[in-house]
Amino acid sequence: MKKTKNRMIATLSFISLIAIATACSSGNGNSENSPSASASAASPASSASGADTGKKYTISMLDFTYGKIPPSNGKAIALLNDKFNIDYKPTIVPYDGYQEKMSTTIAGGDMPDVMGIEEYLASGSLHKWAEQGAFLPLNDYIQKYPSLALVPPEIWAAVTNKDGKIWGIPRYYPNTPTQSWVIRQDWLDNLGLKVPTTYDELGQVALAFTKNDPDKNGKNDTYGLVMGPGGAPGYGMGAYWDRDTWYHKDKDGNLIPGYITDARKENVALFADLYKQGAINKGFGANASFEVGQSDFYNNKAGIFMGGIRGMDENLANSLLSVAPNAKFSSIPPFKAPDGTQGLTAQRGYYRITVLNAKLAGDEGKIDRILSLVDFGRTFIPIDQRTPDNETFDFRSGKLNTGYTFDNGTATFTQPDQGLLVSSYLPDSNMWAPSVLDNKYSDTTQSPILKEYVKQLESEYANYEEYVDPQYMGYSETLNSNKGADAILKVADAQVKMIMGELPLTSWDKMVDDFMKSGGTDIIKEMNESLQGRTLIGFKKMGQ
Amino acid sequence: MHFKTKSDRWFDGINYLLLSVVGLCMVFPLLYIFSVSFSTMQDFIQKDIVLWPSHWDLGAYKYIFDTPVFGRAMLVSACLTVVITLFNLLMTSMMAFATVHSFVGSKLILRMIIFTLLFSPGLIPSYLMVRNLHLIDTYWALILPGAISTFNLIVIRQFFQNLPKEIFEASKIDGAHELQMFTKLVLPLSKPALAAFALFYAVDAWNAYFNVILYINDTTKWTIQVVLRQIVIVSPPDNNLIASLLKDPPPAQTVQMAAVLVATLPVLVIYPFLQKHFAKGVMLGSVKG
């Protein structure tokens, strides 16, 4: 008797528990609306139309940094408040934990007025939020602000919804080729060879580097191509061969990823042959990291590798000079593809996105104030004008002798955690260079061996076209999931095995088949669907 | 009198050897961290592994303690740790004591508690709760949501259950009420268990990072782990080896090691004092004996 009574109480209370739970969740639904109500109540003049510079706006901002965190009570905030007539409330958190902070604030209905997002951190959610209209459409504003008007159409396309709404402002990142190639010119000279212009010549040079003692030290201690885990770099000497680029089409006219194309198949066959003859580092597939191969190149052991217009390590270059004082780099320009094109794949051209809260819609004055703030941070200052005389530079650096000091033509900035640097508080402080060449990378490179190489790359960048990869504009959910990553990983793995001779080249079709079955079909379908109606740019001359 | 046989001695010898090796494995990283944090750049570059600095250098510590918010963050963390530990212990033990007694609905409450162990609400509901209680940017956001750890509650409850019932019956006859039983009998008798969980809660509070990022926007309220993570990940301005030989800022690696040491030191210091209770408390709580 007592038992049944207990059970009844338990059941009843369980029901009430569920009732409480559902009540809570419906409460959540309501609360999502409430902040918007309170937000509009907080800005009473929101009904007033048009930009009013006399009015003070409270602007909240959320972003992350890889660097030191500026304090929330820094002096630089006062400078910004004065200049823009705002009450600025920035929250800047470290990279670790930002993903959760971002998703909870958005899901909790607390999204600030302006927010920085990193695509990889937000991954699929970003597209979901954009589609759901969480961000303010910016189409009407982008021509009004000089630094926004500089953004090329293919980069706007990456932050445009299916229905044509631009929902974010991409931040500057150079759009130079994803991979550029570097070859030891001094070795070529020693052997009387020329910089290769076709894959045949590349293979011959790699073999000569392996067998003909290019460093003339009488020892058989050199080889041609450096490869690392996953078979990277892929030595795609043009978008046509690039394994990561969506360039080729299948028989139905759908774009497909480079990994499964015939062009890549021919490359794999060539590399397998070179590997057999010792021109590629032994066992590269098992290397712990990319750095293992890289150190071979900078230790005078290998002759061909990947380089770049920026971000090459000067210490490594100097260490090469200490073992090989005569070392000299040349760039390998893109090869002419069978279809007549000649150009490497461009990079995305942006990294991280600034978004505005959709709830700002209608409050033109506040939108203008926020966008002016964003525009200010993006305004490009030519390298030689970054002096105290330049007003923009002086202000964004927190004013002379406060935020920075200037001696002998070089500015020394205070650390962001002192709160004196205006730029560390801006919603977007990456200056948008009109052209990559404006960054003058060759001037800022110190190492003599790299300086010459970077110069060469810069002229290459001006002379050749770059391919705008359609996948930057499209989106595939499967590709962004673990399933997609696994499928790509398996293809890469199979190709490494083929190059290393562990898997016969005849299994290529089976590899493609497996890829299609384990998600490839979906990836191709989703990507092509999302690209429908978009203008694909193809090759474009960017370096002007 | 028991004499050790030859095989006994062998056994002991091998035991000592193995345990020393294991012990060294534990001590070695700490010693390395300690030594590197006090070394000069020259030492660090020239020797592959620094096990004892030849020149003692306080540069790394100066750098850390000169970081603008360091002192404040240290104070915040210390106070929070004390408050959180005491508060959590009080909450957990009171709840545990209450559920040991059977009263109307006590089983239900226990089931609801166990329910939270199986199904956690997730991040966003927790955030919404904290936000709707207006705890964002207050220290309460770090104290209240984790006041009772379900797992700890169940272990402490088990410990309370194993206290001899006769004492309670006797005290009841003597006229003690529940609160008196709790403060005069249960708490003094449960010192080992409480000490163990004090350590658990204290370490958690000291290591708080994620909640701080999530709930605290005001950088002046940040705890030491957030500040230290900054120092460890974001190295001093000149990370260039040659530059740091010449310039003021100490090398990144020594600063990082110093930061690690500062972050773990309080836990290392507290642990030996609680260790004897610790082993006893956790064992007694879980095994009926």
Side-chain angles (χ1 to χ4, degrees):
Chain A
M1 187 62 200
K2 203 185 167 198
K3 252 188 183 165
T4 44
K5 198 182 161 195
N6 277 348
R7 199 160 287 166
M8 256 182 70
I9 292 175
T11 326
L12 274 176
S13 47
F14 190 69
I15 291 169
S16 64
L17 192 77
I18 290 171
I20 292 168
T22 45
C24 283
S25 58
S26 68
N28 294 348
N30 292 337
S31 66
E32 263 177 42
N33 299 328
S34 59
S36 75
S38 61
S40 56
S43 50
S46 63
S47 54
S49 59
D52 177 9
T53 45
K55 188 168 177 299
K56 197 173 195 140
Y57 289 101
T58 302
I59 295 174
S60 56
M61 195 275 286
L62 176 66
D63 205 349
F64 76 89
T65 175
Y66 294 106
K68 292 189 173 175
I69 308 279
S72 42
N73 56 353
K75 285 204 180 85
I77 297 177
L79 286 178
L80 275 169
N81 286 344
D82 260 10
K83 185 181 171 80
F84 289 93
N85 190 23
I86 50 177
D87 184 14
Y88 190 45
K89 302 244 179 276
T91 304
I92 298 164
V93 299
Y95 184 83
D96 283 333
Y98 187 68
Q99 184 175 19
E100 290 80 4
K101 176 111 187 161
M102 180 175 59
S103 9
T104 46
T105 42
I106 292 183
D110 274 350
M111 188 183 153
D113 296 322
V114 53
M115 190 171 83
I117 293 186
E118 197 219 34
E119 282 187 296
Y120 309 102
L121 266 186
S123 61
S125 314
L126 182 60
H127 286 260
K128 225 180 286 162
W129 294 330
E131 293 288 344
Q132 287 170 358
F135 311 134
L136 183 78
L138 299 165
N139 303 48
D140 299 340
Y141 305 103
I142 59 173
Q143 286 308 319
K144 287 188 199 161
Y145 302 89
S147 79
L148 298 184
L150 276 176
V151 178
E154 72 267 16
I155 295 182
W156 281 126
V159 289
T160 306
N161 265 352
K162 277 196 201 104
D163 53 5
K165 280 184 191 146
I166 295 174
W167 49 264
I169 304 168
R171 298 187 187 181
Y172 181 72
Y173 193 85
N175 57 7
T176 48
T178 44
Q179 296 184 349
S180 306
W181 310 107
V182 52
I183 189 165
R184 285 287 294 275
Q185 182 64 45
D186 53 320
W187 285 12
L188 285 174
D189 293 343
N190 283 347
L191 300 174
L193 294 167
K194 281 202 187 95
V195 174
T197 58
T198 63
Y199 272 104
D200 273 349
E201 289 173 20
L202 181 78
Q204 283 158 18
V205 169
L207 285 175
F209 278 180
T210 313
K211 293 178 175 160
N212 302 347
D213 190 21
D215 57 349
K216 301 281 174 215
N217 68 350
K219 284 182 216 150
N220 184 19
D221 58 354
T222 55
Y223 66 90
L225 296 168
V226 176
M227 269 195 198
Y235 293 98
M237 314 308 265
Y240 181 89
W241 296 280
D242 201 326
R243 47 177 208 173
D244 300 307
T245 304
W246 292 61
Y247 181 87
H248 294 270
K249 286 183 175 164
D250 64 9
K251 56 183 188 309
D252 301 325
N254 288 319
L255 282 162
I256 51 170
Y259 267 116
I260 55 169
T261 59
D262 290 343
R264 175 69 183 158
K265 186 180 175 184
E266 282 168 30
N267 274 2
V268 169
L270 171 75
F271 296 143
D273 182 47
L274 290 177
Y275 185 83
K276 214 155 110 201
Q277 304 191 53
I280 296 177
N281 42 337
K282 281 273 168 270
F284 67 87
N287 276 357
S289 73
F290 188 72
E291 275 74 25
V292 181
Q294 172 173 285
S295 71
D296 270 5
F297 182 76
Y298 289 104
N299 280 339
N300 206 31
K301 280 188 195 151
I304 305 172
F305 191 50
M306 194 170 88
I309 204 163
R310 58 189 283 276
M312 283 179 85
D313 193 325
E314 305 224 347
N315 287 333
L316 283 178
N318 291 336
S319 80
L320 172 64
L321 280 183
S322 69
V323 246
N326 297 324
K328 195 169 173 294
F329 289 163
S330 269
S331 161
I332 309 176
F335 297 166
K336 195 158 190 151
D339 64 355
T341 57
Q342 191 170 17
L344 300 167
T345 313
Q347 284 187 78
R348 214 168 262 267
Y350 71 94
Y351 170 62
R352 290 165 71 170
I353 299 169
T354 311
V355 294
L356 271 62
N357 194 334
K359 288 165 188 161
L360 290 166
D363 194 351
E364 295 301 323
K366 188 162 174 180
I367 294 172
D368 174 66
R369 207 65 61 83
I370 295 172
L371 289 177
S372 305
L373 196 65
V374 172
D375 185 56
F376 176 80
R378 293 162 67 90
T379 303
F380 185 76
I381 306 167
I383 305 254
D384 51 0
Q385 286 173 34
R386 294 182 190 171
T387 63
D389 300 334
N390 185 299
E391 209 181 313
T392 313
F393 177 78
D394 187 51
F395 183 82
R396 65 175 280 142
S397 313
K399 304 242 159 132
L400 184 63
N401 294 332
T402 310
Y404 72 109
T405 54
F406 199 80
D407 282 315
N408 301 325
T410 47
T412 313
F413 301 100
T414 55
Q415 291 296 304
D417 56 350
Q418 293 185 294
L420 301 170
L421 272 182
V422 170
S423 56
S424 61
Y425 288 103
L426 289 168
D428 177 2
S429 63
N430 302 299
M431 300 186 209
W432 192 285
S435 159
V436 170
L437 299 178
D438 292 328
N439 293 314
K440 305 224 189 291
Y441 292 123
S442 56
D443 289 358
T444 47
T445 306
Q446 304 295 326
S447 159
I449 188 172
L450 289 183
K451 206 180 184 79
E452 284 306 305
Y453 173 66
V454 171
K455 259 189 203 152
Q456 223 180 333
L457 284 181
E458 282 177 340
S459 70
E460 227 170 76
Y461 185 76
N463 292 337
Y464 291 95
E465 294 182 317
E466 321 283 344
Y467 179 69
V468 179
D469 193 344
Q471 71 167 318
Y472 300 157
M473 300 180 225
Y475 178 71
S476 156
E477 201 176 325
T478 312
L479 187 61
N480 265 289
S481 66
N482 287 336
K483 192 182 169 195
D486 280 351
I488 294 280
L489 209 66
K490 269 192 201 137
V491 173
D493 197 45
Q495 294 184 3
V496 167
K497 284 191 176 136
M498 286 181 198
I499 295 172
M500 290 172 64
E502 289 168 19
L503 205 65
L505 286 163
T506 46
S507 55
W508 181 272
D509 291 340
K510 192 184 168 293
M511 175 203 77
V512 176
D513 235 36
D514 287 347
F515 171 71
M516 288 303 195
K517 275 184 204 141
S518 58
T521 319
D522 291 335
I523 292 176
I524 292 170
K525 189 167 153 260
E526 287 164 7
M527 183 60 81
N528 281 281
E529 269 171 13
S530 79
L531 287 173
Q532 246 156 35
R534 298 241 196 240
T535 323
L536 301 187
I537 310 282
F539 281 95
K540 185 182 171 184
K541 217 165 194 180
M542 296 174 175
Q544 259 125 30
Chain B
M1 202 64 192
H2 174 74
F3 289 100
K4 283 193 172 173
T5 61
K6 208 174 176 184
S7 63
D8 275 347
R9 248 176 255 143
W10 267 104
F11 179 73
D12 281 352
I14 291 172
N15 256 355
Y16 279 126
L17 191 74
L18 282 179
L19 288 177
S20 316
V21 170
V22 172
L24 274 179
C25 290
M26 307 284 166
V27 171
F28 176 76
L30 279 178
L31 181 66
Y32 177 74
I33 290 171
F34 174 80
S35 306
V36 169
S37 74
F38 282 105
S39 331
T40 55
M41 192 66 208
Q42 276 89 345
D43 261 14
F44 183 74
I45 293 179
Q46 282 158 12
K47 296 181 184 171
D48 282 341
I49 294 176
V50 190
L51 278 187
W52 198 251
S54 53
H55 307 278
W56 292 81
D57 181 54
L58 288 172
Y61 289 91
K62 274 194 193 120
Y63 178 85
I64 290 184
F65 285 92
D66 278 348
T67 305
V69 283
F70 184 85
R72 209 196 138 88
M74 200 77 176
L75 190 70
V76 166
S77 270
C79 294
L80 265 180
T81 303
V82 172
V83 171
I84 288 179
T85 309
L86 292 178
F87 184 74
N88 287 8
L89 269 186
L90 187 71
M91 287 291 139
T92 313
S93 53
M94 285 200 322
M95 186 76 175
F97 184 64
T99 53
V100 163
H101 291 255
S102 45
F103 52 89
V104 180
S106 68
K107 276 225 173 94
L108 169 72
I109 289 179
L110 205 64
R111 275 187 199 141
M112 281 165 73
I113 290 168
I114 291 169
F115 183 79
T116 66
L117 202 62
L118 300 175
F119 304 95
S120 75
L123 195 62
I124 291 171
S126 309
Y127 175 83
L128 284 171
M129 183 188 73
V130 170
R131 193 200 66 183
N132 291 345
L133 292 173
H134 301 286
L135 299 181
I136 298 279
D137 256 346
T138 65
Y139 292 127
W140 289 113
L142 306 178
I143 300 171
L144 287 180
I148 297 178
S149 142
T150 317
F151 179 76
N152 293 359
L153 174 77
I154 287 168
V155 179
I156 290 195
R157 188 181 169 272
Q158 206 69 35
F159 185 88
F160 287 172
Q161 261 180 344
N162 293 337
L163 294 173
K165 287 198 175 61
E166 291 77 11
I167 314 179
F168 296 109
E169 280 162 13
S171 65
K172 217 174 217 167
I173 293 168
D174 287 344
H177 54 73
E178 302 279 329
L179 195 64
Q180 276 171 325
M181 278 192 220
F182 180 63
T183 50
K184 300 251 164 79
L185 285 174
V186 175
L187 287 188
L189 283 172
S190 327
K191 267 188 208 148
L194 293 180
F197 289 105
L199 189 72
F200 282 158
Y201 279 129
V203 170
D204 268 0
W206 180 256
N207 287 339
Y209 174 82
F210 184 67
N211 284 356
V212 184
I213 296 283
L214 201 58
Y215 298 132
I216 308 287
N217 294 330
D218 186 350
T219 52
T220 56
K221 288 190 179 134
W222 275 359
T223 58
I224 193 67
Q225 298 297 339
V226 181
V227 174
L228 283 176
R229 178 94 52 124
Q230 281 291 297
I231 298 173
V232 172
I233 291 172
V234 189
S235 336
D238 272 297
N239 203 7
N240 188 315
L241 284 183
I242 298 139
S244 43
L245 267 177
L246 307 169
K247 276 194 190 160
D248 242 7
Q253 289 82 355
T254 66
V255 172
Q256 288 171 356
M257 294 305 173
V260 170
L261 207 65
V262 171
T264 42
L265 200 64
V267 177
L268 282 179
V269 170
I270 296 171
Y271 190 76
F273 296 99
L274 290 176
Q275 198 266 344
K276 55 176 180 179
H277 299 297
F278 186 71
K280 214 165 138 197
V282 176
M283 288 297 286
L284 279 182
S286 53
V287 183
K288 287 200 178 185

